Structure formats: C-alpha cells, structure tokens
Amino acid sequence: MANSDTQEDDARLNLVERVKELKCLYDIARISADASMSGENKLKSIVTILPQAWKYPEKACAKIVIDKQSYSNGNYPHSVKRQRSNIIVDGARRGYIEIAYPKKYLVDDDNKPFLEEEEKLLETVASEIAAIIKRKETAQEKLTLEDQLRHADRLATIGQLAASVAHDINEPLGHIIGFAELLQRYPGLPAQALADVDKIFSISLHVREIVKQLLVFSRPVLPKKRNVNLNDLIRKVLTFLEFRFASEGVKLKVHLNPDLPEIDADPTQMNQALVSLMVNAIQAMPNGGEISIWTWRERSRIFLAIEDTGIGMDEKTLRKVFTPFFTTKEVGMGTGLGLPIVHSII
C-alpha cells in the first residue's frame, strides 16, 4: 500500500512538473510572437518566467548571454549547481542560457537538483531564443536592403537628371570661364572689377566641379586598378593637404603599418576618397583639433581608419550621411556629394 502511495505521489509530482514546463513554453511562445516587444524586452521577459518551470522555482535563477550582452532575473549569484544550453544561430554559437541555484541553498540530497526533462526544456528554450534572434536579424536585413534600394533609386534619378542637364550647363559655363579668364588679363581693369571677375571665375569653377560630381552618378567611370601601396597614397594626400592642416589648426597622428602588402585599387579614385574624408574631418573641427590615421593588417585584409576630434554626428545625421545633397554645413560650404561619392568609390 505504501508503495502504491509513493507511485501516486511520484506521478502527481511528475504531472505538476510537466504542467509547469508546458506553461513556460506557452508563455515563451506568446512572448516570441508579440511583435510589439523589442528583442531585448523579450529576452528580459524570458529570464523572468523561466525559473517558474524548474523544480525549485523560488531558488532558481536564470541568465541569458547573447553576443556578450547578459540578461538575468535579479542579482545573478555565483553558483555551484547550474545547467546550461548553447544558443546556436545559423550554425554559430552566439551565447547560452543558464539556470542556477545559489550556493547557500541545499537542493537535493542526491546532488541532482536538475531533472532530465529540465535539460530538454532548456534546449527547447535555447532554440526558441535562437529563432527570436534570427527573426530580428532577418527583419533588420530586410530594412537595410530596402534602404539600399531607395538609395540606389535616388542615385539613378540623380544620374538621369545629371545626364540630361550636364551638357546644357557645361557649354555656357565654359564660355563664362573663358570670358572671365580674358577679363583677368585685360590691362587697366579697376581693382574692384578685377576682384568681381575673380569671384565669377572661382564660382564658375565650383559649379563645374559640382557638375563633374553629379556625372559620377550618371556614368560611373570604370576604375583603372593596379597594385598600389595604401600607405603611399595616404602620405601623398597628407602632403597635398599639409598647408590646410596647418592653417586650420589641425594636428595629425599617423600610425601606418610598414608591412602592408599592395592592394588592387584605382589610385585616382582612392585619392579622391581620401581627400574627401580628410576635408570632411577638417570641416568637422572649426576650432582646430586632431586627426588620427591608422592602417593595419589582419590576415588577408587591409584596414584603414580615420578619426577626428570634431563635433561628431547624431543618429539622425548618420542615417542620411550617404544621401546625395544632404549636408549639415552652411550654404556655400558643401554640396552634400562628398560622402556619397566616397561610398560609391569604396
């Protein structure tokens, strides 16, 4: 009779445990399907409800670690009893989920605080978390692709516009520049008139440069690639901008790895990209500052980093930084085409 009672108690306890596990899985499925919750809030909710499915819910602590970001229910303790399952996304280990009991608690006399079913439950929850992460990243990739398509559409529209008006602009512009050059050579021209002609000449060249930049989008020039040394390209650009650095109160810190192999690139386009980045950095520091430049190698990759001590960009500006004609500079200080062209070249 006693044996029968024990079997009934065991069966009842097993049933209670299975109900707790099913409720936990239901709650996690509900959280996973909630489109209004961010990925971070979903993970925080999961670590809150997870201990309730374990044998000792009042003692159990849960922790999720994803990409070195940790989530736990309360102050996660140092533990002597813990159970862990890896979180695998697209075949790569991204973190783990863990259940632990604090050291101060004694759980089972047989030193087995975890049930076999709990290990399977933890693996199931780890798989669900992996699915949450995958869905989030897939949605983000979709948004990125849509943004890239919109960006490509804008460039195509600009290209069509540039191709249709470039000839009409360049022809009269060429005459303006030519006549301005003739006037500059005219003897006896009053000083004020000569200054005005110089302004006409300078502004006309600026307009011609804008048209040339626009044509980059309408008819991209095929790069003429050859083996070049990135460090040599950087040094030439720094020499070219040396006077401007000094006049703007900009100091340089240059850290070029001397052991870089040559890269396959168009030196003219690389020069254009480097100059644009440097000038952008200078303009971000109206009261002077410091530009740091690094090159380094990691296995088969060559890296270049340019950093300035300027005012930086807020999130709104960062989202538009490669949009043609978008600029935060004052009128006459920039066209909003520098970084889009750098992006196009790279």
Side-chain angles (χ1 to χ4, degrees), residues 13 37 57 80 105 126 143 176 208 239:
L13 288 172
M37 291 181 72
V80 289
Y105 288 121
L143 290 174
I176 293 171
R208 187 167 69 178
T239 301

Side-chain angles (χ1 to χ4, degrees), residues 21 23-24 36 41-42 56 63 70 156 164 190-191 203 259 313:
E21 292 167 8
K23 184 179 184 307
C24 175
S36 66
N41 285 336
K42 287 181 179 181
Y56 305 99
K63 179 168 70 172
S70 180
S164 65
I203 292 170
D259 299 323
M313 290 180 278

Side-chain angles (χ1 to χ4, degrees), residues 43-116:
L43 296 179
K44 288 179 179 179
S45 297
I46 289 173
V47 294
T48 300
I49 66 171
L50 199 56
Q52 299 168 16
W54 259 249
K55 188 175 181 181
Y56 305 99
E58 71 283 355
K59 303 174 184 177
C61 299
K63 179 168 70 172
I64 297 172
V65 176
I66 293 290
D67 300 330
K68 298 182 180 179
Q69 180 68 43
S70 180
Y71 307 90
S72 61
N73 62 325
N75 297 320
Y76 197 79
H78 293 292
S79 59
V80 289
K81 306 293 183 183
R82 65 183 180 182
Q83 188 177 39
R84 178 182 292 186
S85 183
N86 289 328
I87 297 172
I88 309 295
V89 182
D90 289 336
R93 182 182 181 275
R94 297 283 294 275
Y96 61 86
I97 181 170
E98 184 177 277
I99 297 290
Y101 290 112
K103 185 177 181 180
K104 65 180 180 178
Y105 288 121
L106 296 175
V107 282
D108 274 359
D109 294 334
D110 60 2
N111 204 32
K112 293 181 180 180
F114 298 110
L115 302 174
E116 183 178 338

Side-chain angles (χ1 to χ4, degrees), residues 81 119 136 215 240 291 304:
K81 306 293 183 183
E119 182 177 350
K136 177 187 174 183
L215 289 175
F240 174 69
I291 295 178
L304 163 68

